[in-house]
């Protein structure tokens, strides 16, 4: 239990964190990677390079300080992080490393203002948070062992490889020991442990894109090319360039809190999936689950892609649309090419806007929305839904990359 005085001291630091949070987390990561290079493989260096990880951590620290006396407001964030940590294999012994470097970064940032009272308060607060995460993550590891039959990383064989678009390759995975797979929960991801040239493995999360209960897990990996803000993806490019059928890769059990919520027709009569690019992967698994459900509800998928070349799972989704009377599929291309126009491969052109949502969703009172895609698309769609009086509790979303929040985009 955190002492009242500690809570007061922590909350008094909120203005400083709001102003200098990213500077703090930048100092923290620089120090930790220098002093404890053994933890570096747990972090995606592309996200470090872009600053996304620093911003995400700054937001998390600020939220913790602001709501330290309201733990119920932190429950969702704690679960998201705990699931991510469990997917990567974060263990109890890693937490003192983070704590030591975080307190040192606070001292450096605050300078003479870093009184013993402030440092001791943050040490107590971190110790409390550490205990919460360790306990939750141990429960996840225990669940993995009981439900999936393993924890940590296990060898899987690539039994099939196929191109799902010009930028996305899908790998079908079966356990190398031929043990049957426990069904995942639609929306979950696994972590691939990829060996690097320097002998140190790196870790990457990939959503499971197939129907739960299949004899395999399917991951669908987008080739990440270099941009102004990020280098090319080390693992995604290696998977595209080197993986062949018969190869062995190590993966963790399914994790993740962005999952399909339980529903029935008394409370939910319409489920809308909005996917941007490779964001279709967890939503496709959810789509299969909803359409397999005997208590049918109306289902709509809005799939936003650049053009037909990058349109993933087109044939699979078309087959579902032909099979299920309660499923509406709308493909919107932002930049269709001549072949797309000649063959009428898309339903509309442009970005997702209010007119499209109004056309496809006539009533939002009992509708659940699931969003996944690039952050600008998520922000746009979230704003549109909130402006149409959709409650935040009806909107579920996942960032591909460092966790963020769309709540600050909500109109007042």
């Amino acid at each position: 239990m955190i002492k009242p005085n500690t809570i007061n001291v922590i909350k008094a630091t909120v203005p400083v964190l709001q102003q200098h949070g990213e500077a703090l987390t930048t100092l923290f990561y620089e120090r930790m990677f220098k002093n404890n290079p053994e933890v570096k493989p747990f972090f995606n260096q592309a996200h470090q390079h872009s600053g996304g990880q620093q911003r995400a951590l700054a937001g998390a620290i600020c939220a913790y300080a602001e709501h330290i006396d309201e733990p119920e407001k932190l429950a969702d964030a704690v679960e998201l992080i705990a699931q991510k940590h469990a997917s990567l294999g974060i263990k109890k012994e890693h937490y003192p490393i983070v704590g030591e470097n975080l307190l040192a970064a606070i001292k450096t940032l605050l300078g003479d203002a870093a009184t013993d009272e402030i440092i001791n308060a943050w040490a107590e607060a971190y110790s409390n948070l550490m205990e919460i995460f360790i306990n939750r993550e141990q429960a996840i590891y225990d669940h993995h062992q009981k439900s999936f039959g393993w924890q940590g990383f296990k060898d899987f064989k690539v039994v099939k490889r196929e191109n799902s678009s010009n930028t996305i390759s899908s790998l079908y995975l079966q356990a190398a020991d031929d043990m049957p797979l426990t069904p995942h929960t639609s929306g979950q991801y696994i972590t691939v442990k990829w060996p690097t040239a320097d002998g140190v493995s790196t870790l990457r999360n990939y959503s499971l894109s197939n129907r739960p209960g299949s004899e395999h897990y399917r991951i669908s990996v987008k080739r990440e090319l270099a941009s102004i803000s990020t280098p090319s993806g080390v693992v995604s490019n290696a998977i595209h360039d080197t993986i062949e059928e018969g190869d062995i890769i190590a993966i963790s059990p399914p994790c993740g809190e962005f999952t399909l919520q339980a529903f029935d027709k008394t409370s939910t009569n319409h489920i809308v999936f909005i996917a941007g690019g490779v964001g279709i992967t967890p939503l496709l698994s959810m789509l299969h689950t909803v359409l397999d459900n005997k208590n049918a509800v109306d289902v709509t998928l809005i799939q936003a892609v650049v053009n037909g070349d990058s349109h993933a799972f087109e044939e699979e989704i078309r087959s579902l649309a032909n099979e299920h009377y309660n499923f509406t599929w709308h493909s919107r291309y932002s930049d269709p090419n001549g072949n797309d126009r000649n063959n009428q491969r898309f339903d509309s052109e442009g970005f997702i806007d209010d007119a499209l949502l109004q056309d496809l969703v006539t009533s939002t009172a009992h509708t659940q929305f699931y969003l996944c895609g690039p952050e600008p698309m998520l922000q746009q769609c979230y704003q549109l839904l909130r402006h149409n009086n959709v409650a935040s509790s009806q909107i579920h979303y996942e960032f591909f990359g460092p966790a963020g929040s769309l709540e600050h985009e909500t109109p007042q």
Side-chain angles (χ1 to χ4, degrees):
M1 196 71 176
I2 301 178
K3 296 190 290 288
N5 184 62
T6 296
I7 291 175
N8 293 335
V9 173
I10 294 297
K11 289 180 79 72
T13 64
V14 168
V16 176
L17 293 174
Q18 290 174 333
Q19 185 176 359
H20 303 291
E22 196 170 336
L24 169 65
T25 55
T26 299
L27 283 171
F28 160 71
Y29 282 120
E30 289 175 351
R31 177 186 172 86
M32 185 170 66
F33 291 156
K34 178 181 178 181
N35 295 335
N36 301 94
E38 68 272 19
V39 303
K40 196 171 182 179
F42 291 114
F43 298 87
N44 187 323
Q45 294 306 304
H47 297 155
Q48 289 287 318
H49 187 273
S50 69
Q53 190 69 62
Q54 294 88 329
R55 288 189 294 274
L57 180 59
I61 292 174
C62 191
Y64 177 57
E66 190 172 2
H67 300 294
I68 191 170
D69 56 342
E70 303 172 288
E72 67 279 359
K73 292 188 176 181
L74 300 169
D76 289 345
V78 167
E79 184 62 18
L80 184 152
I81 295 170
Q83 291 284 341
K84 183 73 70 171
H85 284 180
S87 78
L88 299 172
I90 301 292
K91 294 297 180 64
K92 181 178 181 178
E93 57 266 27
H94 295 123
Y95 279 92
I97 295 173
V98 173
E100 178 184 347
N101 287 287
L102 179 61
L103 292 176
I106 292 174
K107 286 182 180 180
T108 300
L109 181 70
L110 296 182
D112 293 340
T115 64
D116 289 343
E117 183 180 40
I118 289 176
I119 297 303
N120 291 338
W122 268 103
E124 181 185 345
Y126 178 78
S127 179
N128 178 77
L129 189 61
M130 176 180 72
E131 184 177 352
I132 291 172
F133 277 119
I134 289 173
N135 291 338
R136 177 59 189 133
E137 287 155 20
Q138 186 58 54
I140 296 172
Y141 290 133
D142 292 344
H143 169 73
H144 285 169
Q145 189 65 53
K146 180 179 180 180
S147 297
F148 294 101
W150 92 96
Q151 57 177 290
F153 289 87
K154 177 178 176 176
D155 284 345
F156 273 65
K157 181 187 294 185
V158 179
V159 295
K160 181 181 177 182
R161 171 178 173 160
E162 65 183 11
N163 292 328
S164 299
S165 78
N166 68 337
T167 60
I168 297 175
S169 287
S170 290
L171 306 181
Y172 293 72
L173 308 173
Q174 290 182 348
D177 60 9
D178 294 323
M179 292 295 292
L181 300 181
T182 298
H184 66 282
T185 300
S186 55
Q188 288 186 310
Y189 54 83
I190 54 89
T191 299
V192 171
K193 187 176 185 180
W194 190 265
T196 55
D198 58 6
V200 179
S201 297
T202 189
L203 308 171
R204 293 293 185 272
N205 301 130
Y206 295 110
S207 296
L208 292 165
S209 59
N210 62 299
R211 171 189 279 109
S214 304
E215 64 181 10
H216 53 260
Y217 292 145
R218 180 177 70 182
I219 60 173
S220 303
V221 181
K222 178 186 176 186
R223 183 191 290 274
E224 297 292 350
L225 301 176
S227 67
I228 295 175
S229 59
T230 58
S232 60
V234 174
V235 178
S236 70
N237 280 277
I239 286 176
H240 275 256
D241 294 336
T242 66
I243 283 288
E244 298 178 355
E245 294 179 4
D247 287 347
I248 301 294
I249 61 176
I251 69 171
S252 69
C255 284
E257 86 304 332
F258 176 65
T259 54
L260 188 68
Q261 305 298 299
F263 65 93
D264 57 65
K265 293 193 73 171
T266 60
S267 59
T268 301
N269 58 26
H270 194 182
I271 295 177
V272 177
F273 299 112
I274 304 178
V278 74
I280 184 62
T281 50
L283 300 185
L284 182 55
S285 184
M286 293 183 189
L287 178 64
H288 277 289
T289 298
V290 174
L291 293 177
D292 286 343
N293 193 294
K294 300 302 181 183
N295 189 11
V297 299
D298 290 334
V299 184
T300 298
L301 169 64
I302 302 173
Q303 190 178 11
V305 297
V306 176
N307 53 43
D309 292 337
S310 59
H311 193 162
F313 306 108
E314 184 177 3
E315 293 306 316
E316 180 174 340
I317 298 171
R318 191 180 309 282
S319 177
L320 291 173
N322 291 335
E323 181 181 351
H324 296 275
Y325 71 91
N326 58 319
F327 175 38
T328 299
W329 172 40
H330 188 100
S331 56
R332 170 157 283 202
Y333 286 13
S334 60
D335 188 21
N337 56 41
N339 185 58
D340 299 328
R341 297 182 190 282
N342 292 336
N343 292 284
Q344 297 181 321
R345 294 181 62 185
F346 60 100
D347 298 303
S348 63
E349 182 176 347
F351 296 105
I352 295 174
D353 56 20
D354 192 56
L356 179 63
L357 292 177
Q358 294 280 359
D359 183 49
L360 295 175
V361 185
T362 56
S363 173
T364 62
H366 299 289
T367 301
Q368 296 292 321
F369 295 85
Y370 292 83
L371 321 178
C372 192
E375 185 171 346
M377 188 211 80
L378 294 184
Q379 291 176 342
Q380 167 76 355
C381 292
Y382 189 89
Q383 282 186 315
L384 290 173
L385 293 174
R386 296 293 281 123
H387 275 296
N388 282 283
N389 298 315
V390 178
S392 59
S393 60
Q394 295 173 251
I395 308 172
H396 318 277
Y397 58 88
E398 179 171 63
F399 287 85
F400 273 7
S405 174
L406 304 181
E407 297 297 332
H408 65 281
E409 301 291 347
T410 305
Q412 299 300 313

